[in-house]
Each structure stands twice: as structure tokens, then as C-alpha cells.
Amino acid sequence: MAVQTEAKTYFNYINGDWVSSVTNEVEASTNPANKNEIVGYIQRSSIEDLNEAVTAAKQAQKSWWKLSGVARGEYLYKTADILERRLEEIAETMTKEMGKTFGEAKAETMRGVSILRYYAGEGVRKIGDVIPSSDSEALMFTTRVPLGVIGVISPWNFPVAIPIWKMAPALIYGNAVVLKPASEAAVTAAKVIECFHEAGFPKGVVNMVCGPGSVIGQGIAEHPDINGVTFTGSNSVGKRVGRAAFERGAKYQLEMGGKNPVIVAKDADLDLAVDGTISGGLRSTGQKCTATSRVFVESEVYETFKEKLLSKVKQLTIGNGMESETWMGPCVSEEQLNTVLSYVEQGKAEGANLIYGGKRCVEGELANGFYVEPTIFENVDLNMTIAREEIFGPVLALIKVHNIEEALKLANDTEYGLSASIYTKDISNILSFIDEIEAGLVRVNAETAGVEFQAPFGGMKQSSSHSREQGQAAIEFFTSIKTVFIKA
Ligand SMILES: NC(=O)C1=CN([C@@H]2O[C@H](COP(=O)(O)OP(=O)(O)OC[C@H]3O[C@@H](n4cnc5c(N)ncnc54)[C@H](O)[C@@H]3O)[C@@H](O)[C@H]2O)C=CC1
Ligand SMILES: O=C(O)CCC(=O)C(=O)O
């Protein structure tokens, strides 16, 4: 039973106003570090609310697009300044709402500021090319137009960065936006939208509707007036969203799961590899689509690597992300905690050897939250569930290999292809890894996580719809190309 009574209610943001849902229903967003603490109440909206937001967006988009790119950019610069001013408060809300440490939350919020500034600058960059025509008297060139209304469906694990890396490019290229944030982190998202509001965006250009994924998320995927849908989350939901958008001829972009490998070669700097494995696999409690989950280690250095890994993992401090000594916070929710624990049980049942962790943390105040120990398995077979499915928790599977060829073969033995890294000093290892690994993010002597907003981000195989987000790549999704031929 939640005890906090003074928690604020956050409204939907439709046509420039903060409004309650027509349902008059709200749901509590709670703190995974303390299930008795309510961070805020968010609207449990209906399709009617979504329809209002889409109507407002559709109406506002045309004049938004008629502004110059410079003018649109100014709004994004203003939003960035406001977000930066509110950085500590918004980061604190993020930590309280979804559990990541305050340090990580501040870094993510700052990343949101940088993304806004990066895309503000896009307002003055080129949007087309002049292409020689076969007719010497004609001018042929490409230009780009916005899609119209963009539906943004975002997850809880990066509640500032992901909505912003989808909304900022959508807006700068002249689209209007309807955001549906994940309910687990919707208070944080509402505070981000407050920054857009304060920046003075014209009414209807930015909208947010909170509510169940099956109603508002699905409603976005199916809405006839939403021209493009950008989604990050699980594979099962992503595919539903993609199918619904495809059926009605809308453009869609899906970023989904990962089962990201690290390869540790026998010549690797093992301390660096251990640090990268821990940071990539366990930071944010393993709740990143880029998180390391499978660790392939050459047999010659396997035992040394394992001992070094174990000794460092034992030192990790688990606790409330607001406490400065905490290295790893809780899972986002009880459901997510139970998912992680059930994967641990499945790993044991299928014969993997649990060498560290695997239990819920229940000592003292931890009992009120959704904490799990960092967990390491060895003797993991590639057919085991823990080697195949995305766990989204702090669970590492160690796999001994005889050589780099075997490591590459096993690393590619997955339906996912988001991120992968190798630790080695050998240039031929590095080159074959870059060529052969089936992943959209290829990292050498660096952890699997670590996305940079100015570079393309996305996966191969089932990790994405094969499109890319962020950097210059974003223009491909949020605009349509027109090839123009002019004959005087
Ligand atoms: N790749 C990634 O970045 C993420 C992956 N996940 C994976 O998904 C698992 C479950 O996490 P969830 O938060 O439940 O992910 P999810 O895929 O259910 O949620 C992502 C977003 O989709 C919305 N949604 C849910 N059902 C929908 C539907 N039928 N139509 C349209 N939108 C819908 C949600 O409300 C949320 O905003 C995790 O354990 C993890 O494996 C979760 C979050 C992020
Ligand atoms: O690793 C990152 O910074 C981004 C990861 C991501 O997009 C995700 O987990 O959804």
C-alpha cells in the first residue's frame, strides 16, 4: 500500500494545455527503490484523448513547417537551456521513478540537452543535393519534406534521452509530435515536456498522452492521421507496432532488443575488459538494449578473467540510486525483478553454473525495493534460454572459447544484432571482428553500451527495423525525399 499522499498529478499535454484525461482516471508512478513512495500520478488516457492530441498536431504541423529551420531551431535551443537549468531536478525524478543512479540520470539528462542543441543546428544544414540531369537545360535536385504527425512510443529505461532523440529530429525537420511515454517513467517524461512548453512551442506542435500501451501505444500505431511511428521497446510490442503501421501505409521505425556479446581475446588488457564487461553489463541494472549479456573468453585467459571479474563485482554497492555510494540501483518494477529472477531459475534449471549472485536483495531498506544481485553464470550453452533471450537485468553469461573464430561464430548465433565489442590488441582480430560481427554498433576495446547522439544508432537482424536513429541518420526517417526536375 502506497503511503505518500502529497504526490503531484501530471496531466496530458494537448494543444499547448495541461489537461486531464476524459476518463478522469490516474495511475501512480512509484519508486522502485521504495515501493511505498509515489513519485506522481499520471493520466490513464483513452483513445479520445489521443484523437484530440492528433487533431491538434495535424492542425499545427503545417504552419510549424512553414517556419524556417532557423526559427524551429531556436525553439530547440530554448528547450535545451531550460532542460539544462532543471537538470538536477529532472535527473532526481528519473532516479526516483525508474531507479538508475543519480550520476547516470544526470549524464542522461545532459545528453538530452546536447541532443536538443545538435538537432537545433540541423535547422541550418543542407537537406538536398543537386544532381546533373540528362537534359542540359534542366535543373534537378532533391529536397525533403516532413512526414506530418509523428507518434513517439518510448520505453522507461532512458526516459529523457529516448523521447528527445526521437522528438528533436522530428521537430526540426518540420513534423508535429504526439509522445506516449512508458508509464513507469511518465513523470520524468512530463517534466521534459514542461521544458518544451516553457520554450513556447506553438500550440499543438508537441503533445503528450499517457496511458496503457495497449490503448495509447496501439492507438498511435493504428491512427490514420499519424504519418510516422517511432518506437523503442520490446521485440514483441515493436513487431505489433510495425505491423499496424505497415498495414495502413505509415512509415515506422523500431528499435528493440539486444543480446550483446563481448569477446575477450587472449592478448586483451584484462583489467580493461573486466571494467568494460561490468560497466556494459551491469550499469543501469542491465536495463539497456545495448547491455552486455554474453561474454566469450579465450580459454588461455578464462580463469584469470573470471577471477578478476568476480573480485570486482563483489565490490559493487547496491542501493538507492540517490545515495552517492550506490553503484547499482533497483530493477524498474516488481515485474521486471520477477522476470530477472525467473531467468536466473531457468539458467540453473537448464544446467548453467551460477557462480555469483542471482538472488533478490532483502537486507534492511532494500526489502522495500526491487533489488537483485549482480549475477554471473558460467558453463553456459548457446541453446540455453539465458543465452538466447533478452533478460534486461544484471546477468552475465561467461562462455569459454578456443579461438576468435569460434567466438565470432557463437557471438553471431543470436537473433539479435544491436551492439558487440571485442577486447584485443591484435589488428587482425580487430579487422575480422569489424567485418564479421553482425551488429549495428561495433566497439573495440570499449563496452557494448555507450551510444553517441551524433552517430547513427540501430541494430541488425531482429534488433531493429533496419533503420537508424540519431546523428545525420535521423533525417532519413523523419522526412520524405522529393526529386525535383525543373525545365525552364
Ligand atoms: N530495447 C529497449 O530499449 C527496451 C527493451 N525492453 C524489453 O521489453 C521488456 C518489457 O519491457 P516493457 O516496458 O514492458 O516494454 P514494452 O515494449 O512493453 O514497452 C515499450 C513502450 O511500448 C508501449 N506499449 C506496450 N504495449 C503496446 C502495444 N500493444 N502497442 C503499442 N505500444 C505499446 C509501452 O507502454 C511503452 O511505452 C523488457 O524486459 C526488455 O526486455 C524494454 C524497454 C526498452
Ligand atoms: O546505451 C544507450 O545509451 C542507449 C540504449 C538504448 O537505446 C536502450 O536501452 O533503449
Side-chain angles (χ1 to χ4, degrees):
M1 180 66 189
V3 291
Q4 189 175 321
T5 50
E6 70 273 21
K8 187 176 158 186
T9 296
Y10 291 82
F11 296 100
N12 289 333
Y13 185 64
I14 299 177
N15 205 21
D17 291 321
W18 296 99
V19 290
S20 63
S21 162
V22 296
T23 63
N24 276 319
E25 289 175 28
V26 293
E27 64 182 300
S29 178
T30 53
N31 184 345
N34 174 5
K35 60 182 186 297
N36 298 319
E37 183 184 337
I38 293 173
V39 180
Y41 292 93
I42 53 155
Q43 304 298 308
R44 197 197 299 267
S45 311
S46 74
I47 282 291
E48 225 176 297
D49 301 300
L50 176 65
N51 288 342
E52 266 184 46
V54 176
T55 303
K58 190 175 174 183
Q59 192 163 353
Q61 188 266 328
K62 292 276 181 287
S63 41
W64 173 244
W65 180 41
K66 291 298 166 210
L67 293 181
S68 68
V70 181
R72 287 196 297 272
E74 285 304 321
Y75 288 99
L76 293 183
Y77 280 125
K78 272 191 208 153
T79 312
D81 292 345
I82 296 161
L83 182 61
E84 190 170 30
R85 197 188 72 223
R86 293 183 62 183
L87 190 142
E88 298 247 334
E89 171 222 337
I90 291 180
E92 182 172 343
T93 305
M94 186 191 314
T95 296
K96 289 188 169 161
E97 206 177 17
M98 55 70 66
K100 76 172 62 168
T101 62
F102 188 42
E104 287 177 279
K106 281 194 284 190
E108 183 189 331
T109 308
M110 196 54 219
R111 187 167 149 194
V113 172
S114 304
I115 297 168
L116 285 161
R117 291 190 178 134
Y118 174 85
Y119 283 109
E122 271 294 286
V124 290
R125 290 192 198 107
K126 74 169 189 134
I127 53 164
D129 297 302
V130 175
I131 301 159
S133 166
S134 55
D135 183 336
S136 61
E137 290 171 359
L139 170 65
M140 187 163 71
F141 63 94
T142 59
T143 187
R144 288 176 183 267
V145 293
L147 299 184
V149 177
I150 301 292
V152 174
I153 306 174
S154 60
W156 42 261
N157 59 340
F158 286 87
V160 169
I162 293 181
I164 289 180
W165 86 46
K166 292 173 183 296
M167 290 170 61
L171 292 166
I172 197 67
Y173 300 128
N175 300 282
V177 162
V178 178
L179 167 69
K180 190 225 98 61
S183 300
E184 293 86 342
V187 173
T188 309
K191 290 191 173 193
V192 170
I193 297 298
E194 284 172 0
C195 299
F196 283 87
H197 176 67
E198 195 184 327
F201 271 79
K203 284 177 185 296
V205 172
V206 175
N207 303 273
M208 180 192 73
V209 181
C210 295
S214 55
V215 179
I216 307 303
Q218 190 72 24
I220 284 178
E222 291 171 355
H223 203 293
D225 287 332
I226 291 185
N227 310 93
V229 182
T230 172
F231 169 91
T232 300
S234 63
N235 276 53
S236 56
V237 173
K239 284 184 178 167
R240 285 175 73 135
V241 167
R243 269 194 296 269
F246 170 81
E247 283 301 330
R248 61 183 184 83
K251 201 168 176 183
Y252 63 91
Q253 175 186 59
L254 314 172
E255 287 306 332
M256 303 174 285
K259 195 67 194 166
N260 310 298
V262 160
I263 296 175
V264 182
K266 56 177 181 273
D267 71 325
D269 175 334
L270 291 187
D271 293 311
L272 190 71
V274 163
D275 287 346
T277 302
I278 290 175
S279 182
L282 309 177
R283 273 211 185 274
S284 285
T285 324
Q287 298 171 128
K288 296 183 188 179
C289 57
T290 47
T292 305
S293 68
R294 300 174 301 145
V295 189
F296 299 96
V297 189
E298 277 198 281
S299 50
E300 290 90 333
V301 293
Y302 181 87
E303 288 303 325
T304 317
F305 175 85
K306 182 175 94 177
E307 291 316 318
K308 282 176 181 278
L309 181 71
L310 280 169
S311 102
K312 282 217 167 160
V313 168
K314 281 176 190 162
Q315 292 164 28
L316 301 179
T317 46
I318 303 165
N320 186 325
M322 285 311 295
E323 285 159 14
S324 57
E325 64 275 18
T326 295
W327 192 90
M328 192 176 96
C331 298
V332 70
S333 62
E334 188 158 25
E335 194 185 348
Q336 193 64 34
L337 168 70
N338 289 336
T339 302
V340 174
L341 294 174
S342 78
Y343 275 114
V344 172
E345 288 313 309
Q346 216 164 340
K348 290 195 279 186
E350 291 178 10
N353 191 8
L354 179 67
I355 55 172
Y356 190 76
K359 293 190 296 300
R360 181 173 185 170
C361 307
V362 287
E363 271 175 34
E365 301 218 326
L366 298 189
N368 288 327
F370 308 126
Y371 295 95
V372 65
E373 294 170 335
T375 300
I376 306 176
F377 280 101
E378 69 173 346
N379 294 333
V380 177
D381 187 287
L382 264 269
N383 295 316
M384 291 176 184
T385 311
I386 57 164
R388 305 216 73 81
E389 295 184 9
E390 182 178 51
I391 297 174
F392 234 58
V395 182
L396 294 167
L398 302 188
I399 299 159
K400 199 187 287 182
V401 291
H402 297 103
N403 51 46
I404 296 298
E405 292 69 44
E406 185 189 6
L408 273 168
K409 185 165 169 272
L410 297 181
N412 282 336
D413 184 0
T414 168
E415 65 185 24
Y416 294 109
L418 186 54
S419 180
S421 84
I422 189 167
Y423 284 86
T424 183
K425 299 187 193 91
D426 182 327
I427 187 69
S428 62
N429 283 346
I430 293 174
L431 293 177
S432 34
F433 182 73
I434 295 169
D435 273 353
E436 288 169 39
I437 196 72
E438 293 163 1
L441 291 179
V442 179
R443 317 248 313 155
V444 178
N445 295 320
E447 62 174 271
T448 55
V451 170
E452 301 206 32
F453 62 83
Q454 70 278 29
F457 171 59
M460 295 167 73
K461 303 199 278 191
Q462 306 242 14
S463 286
S464 88
S465 54
H466 308 285
S467 43
R468 293 290 181 267
E469 298 190 275
Q470 305 196 63
Q472 293 286 306
I475 199 170
E476 299 304 334
F477 180 73
F478 291 108
T479 64
S480 285
I481 294 179
K482 282 184 174 173
T483 303
V484 184
F485 177 93
I486 306 176
K487 177 94 178 173

